[in-house]
Amino acid sequence: MSIRLLDVLKHSTLTPADPVIRAAAAVAAETQLRWIHSSEVLDIAPLLSGGELLLTGGQALAAASDKRRTGYIWELSERGVAALAIETGAALPSIPSSMIAAAESAGLPLLELRKRVPFVGVMEAINSLLVSESAGQLQQADQASHAMAVELAHGGSLDRVLAVLADATGSEVVLATNAGVTLASALPAGHTKESEPAASAEGGQDHAREIHVDVSVRGIPSARLTLYVRGDTDVNLARIAGSRSVDILALALLQRMPPGLKEMAGAALIRAIDSGTQSWRLQQLAPAAGIAAQAHLVAIVVRSAGSRQTRTNVDHLLDRVARHSVSYADNAELLALAVLHPDSLQEDRTAIVAGLQSIASAEGFVCAVGPVASGISAAPQSLTEARLTLELAADGGAHHGGHGQAGAVLDAEAFAVERLAFHSLDEGLRTDFVRQQLGAILDYDAQRRSLLVETLRIWLDSGCNTAQAARELHLERQSMHQRLQRIFSLCGGDPRGTGRLAALHLAARLAPRLTTTLAATH
């Protein structure tokens, strides 16, 4: 028997929270749960799979604008989240009326937790029940996937393959291209299209009962499978069976409609850029991939464990923000090109960096966005600089805000001085320069195991803002001033207002990447 939202509200771990339904109470009675998750991140929707009860505290919502709060509700609803529970208290005394109205309109059950409970305990207890329930659903889903494979092996059409899935899940099933063109569809046996429409009479979609699954062919996102769950059918079974059917559907699509020439040309273009192909060849390949030879674009390098979901999320982000994009996955590295709108180059690039950060923080990958390239001939340079940024961050990650760690998005523009020094000076010259500028401070750090070089770098990165640097270093302002006075005494005085400031800043940025060499020359 499926675990429903009302069952969870009566569970012993959640009743101490004194929960009350503030919106979509009629929907709550029939809402099935797949998982319970907690997060304070407002941009969490793209990282959820649907069917979750999302628990959140009120701090982030209290600080957000009213527009962002209602947008948060709609994003969760469109993702198919089962329900949202908000803990009210000192930061957020009550749920804003605008959020309640948005949730009611979206059909998203909205719960208020009027007392504090440990979210971890709630998730451990209820997710263990959901795991037990899912074992049977997995078995049924695997049986459906096997039956679909048999149908395909016997030459069944896409409609017939989907009919197996429709019967197994009791859902209307539609397979469409990324452009929205329907390729095939099926209804459960005994149902007609008119008997129970997927959309309500008012035209609104019940997002919690729509399951969307992306289907990729040879690594190229090619179609979307949608299951419209009918009546009291098990939503979680439909979700699992839909996910389990992806490989079968990808094979069916490959037999009937292999990846389009544009997608194949895009992959070939990125491989050519990566291999250092001559400019004239790139100008030949670009138009076939839908990229003008003179387009402004950026290269993106993503390094991860090779998750298919990572590529899907990155591709969806670039489809939304960029004018056009192509991508290519090679083992644990994903390479992408994003074409920017000519009248909003920096705005597009900033949006790409921000969007990647929201994905990376959840999926744990590290990536770099290269500088803007003017024309396809300059794309190899953008890719090279993105890769160089990853290497520089890996070398100095522990001394540069942890940028070498997983879950980070690196902006090549933030490493401009390091990249310039790497290209212009060999390691010996870089080492000599750093010793000339910071020799006394380096010796002081080595003798006392202090962090004066890091303090200097963070202070200079902040624009010599002492208060901001102190916050980043978790220091009292008095301690920060004492460190600065020691630094000034070692480097010949306060550098502000002198020509030494830029040289000290460059040396401080280079020092973490030359630690081994500097130690050897000491």
Side-chain angles (χ1 to χ4, degrees):
M1 180 177 177
S2 300
I3 297 178
R4 299 181 181 271
L5 178 60
L6 294 186
D7 300 325
V8 170
L9 295 183
K10 298 174 184 177
H11 195 274
S12 60
T13 61
L14 199 56
T15 52
D18 193 16
V20 60
I21 301 175
R22 295 299 187 195
V27 178
E30 299 300 324
T31 297
Q32 300 175 23
L33 296 186
R34 181 186 62 83
W35 199 247
I36 295 188
H37 184 68
S38 70
S39 176
E40 303 304 314
V41 178
L42 297 185
D43 295 325
I44 190 69
L47 309 179
L48 300 176
S49 302
E52 298 93 347
L53 166 59
L54 179 62
L55 308 176
T56 187
Q59 292 86 351
L61 288 168
S65 66
D66 196 58
K67 181 179 179 181
R68 184 67 193 93
R69 291 170 181 163
T70 55
Y72 175 63
I73 294 290
W74 284 104
E75 289 167 8
L76 296 179
S77 172
E78 290 167 1
R79 195 63 176 176
V81 170
L84 171 65
I86 301 174
E87 185 179 80
T88 53
L92 189 73
S94 62
I95 299 178
S97 59
S98 60
M99 294 186 69
I100 295 174
E104 189 69 45
S105 178
L108 175 69
L110 179 60
L111 317 176
E112 179 182 356
L113 307 180
R114 295 178 287 186
K115 296 180 182 178
R116 297 191 65 179
V117 292
F119 285 176
V120 171
V122 174
M123 291 188 293
E124 286 180 347
I126 298 174
N127 283 338
S128 64
L129 299 176
L130 292 168
V131 168
S132 299
E133 178 197 9
S134 68
Q137 295 166 337
L138 284 169
Q139 184 177 14
Q140 294 179 64
D142 286 339
Q143 291 172 351
S145 177
H146 176 72
M148 292 172 69
V150 171
E151 182 66 49
L152 179 63
H154 287 125
S157 65
L158 271 176
D159 287 324
R160 292 180 64 86
V161 172
L162 289 184
V164 175
L165 182 61
D167 288 341
T169 61
S171 306
E172 177 186 349
V173 183
V174 177
L175 184 67
T177 67
N178 291 332
V181 178
T182 299
L183 300 172
S185 63
L187 289 165
H191 290 73
T192 63
K193 184 70 175 177
E194 291 74 22
S195 64
E196 188 180 347
S200 67
E202 291 79 11
Q205 297 291 335
D206 182 355
H207 296 291
R209 302 185 69 81
E210 292 179 16
I211 312 301
H212 300 287
V213 183
D214 292 315
V215 181
S216 296
V217 179
R218 289 179 176 171
I220 298 172
S222 303
R224 168 168 279 199
L225 173 70
T226 301
L227 295 91
Y228 299 99
V229 184
R230 297 174 159 237
D232 58 357
T233 303
D234 191 335
V235 176
N236 291 335
L237 171 61
R239 182 176 287 107
I240 296 171
S243 298
R244 281 287 205 266
S245 70
V246 165
D247 290 340
I248 302 301
L249 294 176
L251 181 58
L253 288 174
L254 187 61
Q255 291 178 354
R256 292 159 175 78
M257 48 165 290
L261 292 177
K262 182 177 289 187
E263 289 80 3
M264 296 177 68
L269 174 63
I270 293 182
R271 289 198 300 269
I273 291 170
D274 190 31
S275 63
T277 300
Q278 292 182 341
S279 174
W280 65 267
R281 180 57 177 156
L282 301 182
Q283 293 182 20
Q284 282 184 334
L285 288 171
I291 298 177
Q294 300 306 316
H296 292 82
L297 46 85
V298 292
I300 301 162
V301 180
V302 179
R303 291 177 180 170
S304 69
S307 165
R308 180 169 59 188
Q309 188 61 40
T310 293
R311 179 171 185 179
T312 298
N313 288 338
V314 171
D315 283 343
H316 284 175
L317 167 68
L318 298 182
D319 286 344
R320 186 174 71 252
V321 175
R323 187 177 187 180
H324 180 60
S325 66
V326 293
S327 63
Y328 173 71
D330 182 16
N331 295 323
E333 193 170 72
L334 170 65
L335 306 179
L337 284 180
V339 179
L340 310 178
H341 296 88
D343 56 347
S344 57
L345 299 180
Q346 292 306 320
E347 292 87 343
D348 286 358
R349 190 176 181 281
T350 299
I352 289 171
V353 172
L356 288 169
Q357 184 61 68
S358 68
I359 302 173
S361 60
E363 298 190 20
F365 64 73
V366 61
C367 74
V369 180
V372 175
S374 298
I376 194 65
S377 297
Q381 181 182 4
S382 183
L383 179 61
T384 297
E385 296 303 310
R387 278 219 174 95
L388 175 58
T389 298
L390 285 170
E391 301 307 321
L392 290 170
D395 291 342
H399 303 278
H400 198 46
H403 288 317
Q405 302 174 3
V409 176
L410 310 174
D411 185 345
E413 298 296 358
F415 288 76
V417 293
E418 291 94 335
R419 292 189 290 111
L420 175 63
F422 181 88
H423 290 305
S424 303
L425 305 171
D426 62 32
E427 186 171 1
L429 290 173
R430 295 197 300 271
T431 300
D432 290 343
F433 176 77
V434 173
R435 288 293 311 174
Q436 290 168 9
Q437 301 299 321
L438 302 176
I441 303 176
L442 289 165
D443 293 344
Y444 188 94
D445 277 350
Q447 294 166 7
R448 293 170 173 77
R449 296 185 178 180
S450 56
L451 299 172
L452 295 187
V453 171
E454 181 185 16
T455 300
L456 176 61
R457 178 186 61 77
I458 291 174
W459 179 67
L460 291 168
D461 281 349
S462 72
C464 303
N465 186 321
T466 302
Q468 180 179 329
R471 286 193 297 272
E472 186 169 344
L473 289 164
H474 306 292
L475 292 175
E476 296 291 338
R477 291 193 65 176
Q478 185 59 34
S479 298
M480 183 69 193
H481 280 292
Q482 290 173 354
R483 283 197 189 182
L484 288 176
Q485 290 306 314
R486 174 61 62 184
I487 290 169
F488 295 163
S489 69
L490 292 169
C491 71
D494 188 339
R496 286 174 288 191
T498 74
R500 296 170 43 247
L501 192 68
L504 283 174
H505 198 178
L506 175 57
R509 296 286 293 263
L510 295 178
R513 294 160 184 83
L514 299 170
T515 302
T516 303
T517 307
L518 289 168
T521 59
H522 177 56

